Amino acid sequence: MRITVEVNGLTRESNVEPRTLLSDYLRHELGLTGTHVGCEHGVCGACTVLVDGEAVRSCLTLAVQMSGRSVRTVEDLVPPGQDLNDIQVAFRKHHALQCGFCTPGILMSLAAEQNRPAPCRADALDSVRGHICRCTGYRGIKRVVEEIFAESDAENTP
Ligand code: FES
Ligand code: FES
């Protein structure tokens, strides 16, 4: 099937098998290997990307479903002229990763939370509960959420 998808701000046209997973499309067709694949059945969260701004498990999504939609991967997180975005800086500061396998998915979930009209720490913590990390013990990740969303909490508290 022919699909047209906006990926990281670029329009991509491809022929894909109807059964092609979004994760495989991104990694094998487009070479965007920052999206990792762990469990391949929606449990670990490593494959999370943004679809029209919402966090989505790309291993549970078909590439053909993305036609006419906008997909954003971890490769697009860093603002122009910078090395890391604010969440990545906080990850480094709080030692929130070791092997890094789970990290792209967590970054994308937190990016989705930042995009919400009224971001808050509780929702951000809920979003990272859907990710499995086998290295860090989660404390560092929790510290990242607390730092990044503290300001949002203050702004959104009436
Ligand atoms: S690879 Fe998609 S949730 Fe684990
Ligand atoms: S940093 Fe290794 S799995 Fe999370």
Side-chain angles (χ1 to χ4, degrees):
M1 294 179 71
R2 188 88 178 149
I3 60 170
T4 304
V5 191
E6 185 192 298
V7 181
N8 296 341
L10 297 175
T11 301
R12 311 297 293 251
E13 293 190 19
S14 308
N15 290 315
V16 297
E17 293 282 342
R19 65 172 182 262
T20 303
L21 297 172
L22 176 58
S23 50
D24 289 337
Y25 172 67
L26 293 170
R27 290 176 55 83
H28 303 310
E29 175 81 15
L30 303 185
L32 296 169
T33 53
T35 298
H36 291 169
V37 174
C39 65
E40 290 189 276
H41 60 271
V43 174
C44 73
C47 66
T48 302
V49 298
L50 302 190
V51 175
D52 296 334
E54 293 288 334
V56 165
R57 303 287 210 237
S58 62
C59 74
L60 295 182
T61 306
L62 296 172
V64 293
Q65 293 175 281
M66 295 299 101
S67 210
R69 304 185 74 177
S70 169
V71 178
R72 195 164 168 225
T73 70
V74 71
E75 284 88 350
D76 194 44
L77 271 189
V78 180
Q82 294 183 29
D83 294 329
L84 299 171
N85 79 349
D86 57 342
I87 311 173
Q88 291 167 317
V89 169
F91 261 69
R92 183 171 63 184
K93 174 178 165 188
H94 294 293
H95 308 291
L97 73 160
Q98 289 185 41
C99 80
F101 191 84
C102 68
T103 310
I106 300 173
L107 293 173
M108 298 317 286
S109 281
L110 292 178
E113 292 303 317
Q114 277 187 316
N115 288 341
R116 294 197 184 287
C120 77
R121 186 168 19 186
D123 288 346
L125 275 175
D126 265 352
S127 79
V128 295
R129 283 194 184 102
H131 291 266
I132 294 173
C133 173
R134 300 185 73 150
C135 302
T136 66
Y138 302 104
R139 285 187 185 170
I141 298 167
K142 196 173 168 202
R143 284 196 293 266
V144 168
V145 172
E146 282 164 1
E147 177 177 310
I148 294 291
F149 291 89
E151 212 170 288
S152 311
D153 268 6
E155 283 171 9
N156 294 319
T157 303

